[in-house]
Amino acid sequence: MEALVPEMTDLSSRLLDFSVAKSLTMCTGNVVRWCNSARRYPVKPEQEILDCIKAALGEWVSKFHRDQVELKALAEHAVCSLMQDNERIGAKEREDIKLSAKLFIYSFEPGMIKESAARACLELGVTQLDSVILALPPLSGGKSRSLEELQPPWEELEALVQEKKVSSIGVSDLDHQLLEALCLNAQVQPSSCQVNLASCCVIPPDLTTFANENNIQLLTHNDPTDILPMGLFQDALGASVRGPGTAQWAPRWILRYSAVIKNRGIIKSKGYMVKAERAADHC
């Protein structure tokens, strides 16, 4: 697969200075921008997001030089947004667009869900997302999911529904028992549940029965457990920034969105928004 990163000369001499930055929010804009040929697609989700991040950071650095902006240290909370005006959804076309998102979190912190939804609405020029599906942090050491882990982020999603910032909310990769426990304790019921067919070639019958009885749509996906491994993210970041070592940086959440024209089923745009932070003890 060809690299999607724009060609740049003498990149090592034109890195952005991240010496004071504590966080970075990236908005890649439409992924179609980063490919010159449909021959590059389809690609795996983890490769797509990595390519988009590399390309967005490369374009961001280039923009500073094209605008002849001095490459001084960036702000504590830097924003790299490559969204173009025609990628935002105007009021006149909003009713014809279904705007869906999947939110991957690496660990839950209060306000994280609200922050990610607000960023998506801001960048896309809308006041409400049609749906958000929550993907919990990757499991380690043979641990299993628990309701205690799920409830805090779910409650923030519920608040967004109540505030009319999101129309419907769903979950990813819950088994029958945990999905049922969530439904019993939730104020806002999940409208959908995604199942990864890579780890489950046939949807379990008990999950199917429960979903049908509770009007929950079962969907399939092919996202890996860790859609953006920390090491690969740090390598991508290190190619465009200078300052404290990239080993201090880690992604906190990733929001993948798609805008689909309802009556035609055509994807108008698709992109990623990523929030990363530098370890607090190095700030």
Side-chain angles (χ1 to χ4, degrees):
M1 174 177 169
E2 300 177 50
L4 303 186
V5 183
E7 291 187 3
M8 300 173 59
T9 58
D10 193 22
L11 181 60
S12 62
S13 66
R14 41 198 287 180
L15 305 181
L16 296 184
D17 184 355
F18 265 41
S19 59
V20 300
K22 295 180 180 179
S23 72
L24 170 64
T25 303
M26 289 175 283
C27 306
T28 67
N30 194 354
V31 298
V32 177
R33 284 191 60 208
W34 308 117
C35 59
N36 300 321
S37 165
R39 289 177 300 176
R40 292 175 179 160
Y41 279 78
V43 297
K44 294 181 178 180
E46 60 269 37
Q47 186 64 53
E48 181 180 75
I49 185 174
L50 186 61
D51 287 339
C52 287
I53 287 175
K54 289 179 179 179
L57 286 170
E59 176 64 19
W60 193 39
V61 173
S62 295
K63 186 176 186 301
F64 276 85
H65 288 275
R66 288 197 303 269
D67 296 343
Q68 298 183 337
V69 176
E70 182 182 356
L71 293 188
K72 56 185 179 182
L74 295 175
E76 285 189 357
H77 304 288
V79 177
C80 163
S81 179
L82 276 296
M83 295 290 293
Q84 297 185 337
D85 289 341
N86 62 2
E87 294 171 5
R88 294 184 169 87
I89 301 170
K92 293 183 178 179
E93 64 174 334
R94 182 63 183 95
E95 291 186 1
D96 299 324
I97 299 293
K98 181 178 181 181
L99 191 52
S100 305
K102 184 171 182 179
L103 177 62
F104 305 83
I105 60 174
Y106 285 78
S107 63
F108 175 72
E109 298 174 7
M112 173 183 289
I113 308 295
K114 183 176 182 179
E115 176 191 41
S116 60
R119 173 58 62 179
C121 288
L122 175 66
E123 296 292 341
L124 293 165
V126 299
T127 59
Q128 185 183 65
L129 303 176
D130 292 308
S131 70
V132 174
I133 290 177
L134 175 67
L136 294 171
L139 292 172
S140 60
K143 296 180 180 179
S144 58
R145 300 284 184 205
S146 67
L147 183 61
E148 291 72 23
E149 175 190 15
L150 178 57
Q151 276 186 311
W154 188 258
E155 287 172 359
E156 282 203 11
L157 280 174
E158 290 178 322
L160 291 176
V161 174
Q162 294 160 356
E163 296 167 6
K164 300 188 184 303
K165 301 294 180 60
V166 176
S167 294
S168 65
I169 51 180
V171 288
S172 181
D173 299 321
L174 300 191
D175 60 23
H176 166 227
Q177 290 183 334
L178 186 51
L179 181 61
E180 183 175 3
L182 174 63
C183 290
L184 289 173
N185 289 273
Q187 295 184 31
V188 178
Q189 298 293 299
S191 62
S192 62
C193 179
Q194 283 192 339
V195 179
N196 191 335
L197 291 183
S199 59
C200 173
C201 57
V202 177
I203 299 177
D206 57 350
L207 180 60
T208 300
T209 299
F210 180 80
N212 290 338
E213 291 174 348
N214 291 272
N215 197 30
I216 299 173
Q217 184 180 17
L218 289 181
L219 307 169
T220 59
H221 74 91
N222 65 339
D223 296 315
T225 302
D226 187 355
I227 194 169
L228 181 59
M230 188 181 300
L232 294 180
F233 170 76
Q234 292 169 347
D235 290 344
L237 190 63
S240 296
V241 307
R242 58 183 171 86
T246 55
Q248 301 169 8
W249 286 83
R252 293 303 181 212
W253 55 259
I254 298 170
L255 185 143
R256 181 179 64 208
Y257 69 88
S258 62
V260 177
I261 302 174
K262 293 179 181 178
N263 295 334
R264 302 169 62 189
I266 297 175
I267 297 178
K268 179 180 185 292
S269 65
K270 173 186 174 183
Y272 295 89
M273 300 178 190
V274 180
K275 173 71 175 288
E277 293 180 352
R278 185 153 58 97
D281 58 346
H282 293 286
C283 294

